[in-house]
């Protein structure tokens, strides 16, 4: 579980959320058996996905992040809802790359590509925003997404420190957003504070609390804390959802599974659950696909 601490300044110009996401990242690492660079890439993305999930208005709202790159990691998909669920996977979890300047080379693993975010806010169509990747290091890419897609001045910092036993020793991140009406002086002051702030993993290694980190970001501002949120890695997959996905494949593919394989075994991409469908169950789906 990861707790999201939220705060806002007294004038309502600066909104800050911080999460210690170590448990979330470690659950993902265990499920997908990710290499260090894949853990860092997925961990950073899960961290920002949880932070954005906690900004959704309704518990039933949900969002999905699609990152595609031409690097050896290929890309990843993460998702969150407004009620504390976050999950994700990478295309190539075992990717191994040499360190770059002593650091895990997340940008090299992802390469050039795109970041797309689909938000289902209970409207007819989901809202989709898409931008090219800036560095593939995730934090910069999401910052750019907010600038281009949402016109909200946003600063994001994400960090995952992978231990020698492959687990995340530290993981966390924050999102800082300027609300409408915030003047240039507010932006300048926050930028100054952020420049002085050490990386997130350093702050966590030093044992800084979420409140201490938020107060360092908002130095010079009077802040108040809002209700926080608890996020955990879990999956909402179900037999019904898998069935719907199979129906959407179309009747030819379903007939293939019935005739050639005599059934289907489908592993959820987000969690270790395996769904086995026999010939009769597939035939029933085939009948629905025909309609
Ligand atoms: Zn699942």
């Amino acid at each position: 579980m990861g707790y999201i601490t939220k705060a806002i300044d007294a004038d309502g110009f600066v909104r800050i959320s911080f999460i210690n996401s170590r448990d979330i990242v470690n659950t993902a690492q265990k499920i997908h058996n990710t290499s260090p660079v894949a853990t860092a890439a997925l961990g950073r993305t899960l961290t920002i996905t949880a932070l954005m999930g906690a900004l959704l208005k309704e518990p039933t709202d949900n969002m999905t992040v699609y990152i595609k790159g031409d690097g050896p990691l290929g890309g990843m998909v993460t998702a969150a809802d407004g009620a504390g669920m976050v999950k994700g996977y990478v295309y190539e979890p075992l990717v191994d790359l040499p360190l770059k300047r002593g650091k895990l080379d997340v940008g090299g693993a992802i390469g050039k590509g795109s970041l797309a975010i689909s938000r289902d806010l209970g409207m007819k169509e989901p809202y989709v925003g898409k931008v090219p990747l800036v560095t593939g290091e995730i934090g910069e890419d999401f910052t750019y997404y907010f600038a281009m897609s949402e016109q909200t001045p946003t600063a994001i910092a994400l960090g995952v420190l992978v231990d020698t036993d492959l687990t995340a020793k530290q993981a966390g991140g924050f999102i800082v957003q300027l609300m409408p009406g915030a003047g240039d002086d507010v932006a300048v002051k926050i930028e100054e504070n952020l420049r002085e702030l050490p990386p997130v993993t350093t702050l966590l290694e030093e044992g800084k609390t979420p409140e201490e980190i938020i107060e360092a970001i908002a130095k010079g501002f009077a802040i108040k804390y809002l209700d926080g949120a608890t996020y955990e890695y879990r999956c909402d997959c179900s037999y019904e959802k898998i069935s719907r996905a199979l129906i959407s494949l179309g009747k030819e593919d379903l007939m293939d599974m019935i005739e050639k394989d005599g059934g289907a075994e489908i592993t959820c991409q987000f969690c270790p659950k395996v769904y086995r469908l026999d010939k009769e169950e597939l035939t029933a789906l085939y009948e629905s696909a025909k309609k």
Side-chain angles (χ1 to χ4, degrees):
M1 276 202 310
Y3 187 74
I4 297 178
T5 308
K6 293 185 187 180
I8 193 159
D9 80 295
D11 297 319
F13 291 148
V14 188
R15 187 168 73 173
I16 306 169
S17 304
F18 177 87
I19 184 171
N20 183 325
S21 55
R22 187 173 58 187
D23 283 359
I24 292 168
V25 177
N26 275 329
T27 304
Q29 198 279 327
K30 218 187 264 173
I31 290 173
H32 302 297
N33 192 26
T34 42
S35 68
V37 72
T39 303
L42 181 58
R44 289 179 196 173
T45 312
L46 286 169
T47 300
I48 182 63
T49 306
L51 286 167
M52 287 175 71
L55 295 173
L56 292 169
K57 288 209 168 61
E58 303 294 333
T60 49
D61 289 351
N62 63 77
M63 51 171 282
T64 308
V65 173
Y66 304 91
I67 293 177
K68 280 204 179 108
D70 62 3
L73 191 78
M76 57 188 140
V77 179
T78 60
D81 65 12
M85 182 200 77
V86 63
K87 58 180 185 175
Y89 66 89
V90 293
Y91 295 176
E92 300 292 341
L94 304 178
V95 164
D96 193 17
L97 279 182
L99 296 179
K100 193 179 176 188
R101 280 179 236 115
K103 288 188 171 157
L104 292 168
D105 189 7
V106 172
I110 292 175
K112 290 188 176 66
S114 61
L115 159 65
I117 301 180
S118 166
R119 288 196 229 206
D120 183 354
L121 309 176
M123 314 283 176
K124 253 190 185 147
E125 296 288 328
Y127 169 81
V128 184
K130 189 175 175 182
V131 294
L133 293 172
V134 185
T135 60
E137 293 284 338
I138 311 299
E140 284 101 332
D141 303 306
F142 276 85
T143 303
Y144 184 68
Y145 170 86
F146 275 102
M148 298 310 288
S149 234
E150 319 225 335
Q151 282 90 40
T152 307
T154 303
I156 291 164
L158 307 166
V160 176
L161 182 64
V162 180
D163 215 338
T164 47
D165 66 359
L166 301 183
T167 63
K169 192 173 181 221
Q170 304 291 353
F174 61 76
I175 179 167
V176 185
Q177 295 189 296
L178 296 187
M179 300 287 101
D184 287 345
D185 53 328
V186 174
V188 167
K189 189 82 195 91
I190 292 290
E191 271 171 34
E192 216 176 273
N193 292 348
L194 289 174
R195 259 200 308 276
E196 286 170 14
L197 201 71
V200 172
T201 49
T202 307
L203 293 165
L204 291 169
E205 279 283 87
E206 288 171 355
K208 294 273 190 294
T209 65
E211 289 77 12
E212 285 170 329
I213 295 169
I214 286 173
E215 278 152 33
I217 296 166
K219 201 171 74 186
F221 294 89
I223 54 163
K224 56 179 180 187
Y225 289 97
L226 306 169
D227 287 341
T230 300
Y231 269 70
E232 65 175 341
Y233 192 107
R234 46 187 159 87
C235 188
D236 56 349
C237 66
S238 64
Y239 182 84
E240 286 66 36
K241 282 190 183 174
I242 297 287
S243 301
R244 273 204 299 276
L246 282 172
I247 291 170
S248 71
L249 287 177
K251 51 187 191 335
E252 281 77 19
D253 281 8
L254 281 165
M255 190 42 86
D256 262 12
M257 285 179 205
I258 294 165
E259 289 184 340
K260 289 185 190 148
D261 311 324
E265 188 176 291
I266 291 137
T267 306
C268 176
Q269 287 172 299
F270 294 97
C271 78
K273 241 177 256 162
V274 181
Y275 295 86
R276 290 187 184 82
L277 289 92
D278 62 21
K279 222 169 175 170
E280 278 171 22
E281 290 168 306
L282 284 177
T283 307
L285 297 184
Y286 176 82
E287 293 302 324
S288 330
K290 269 199 331 198
K291 280 171 202 158

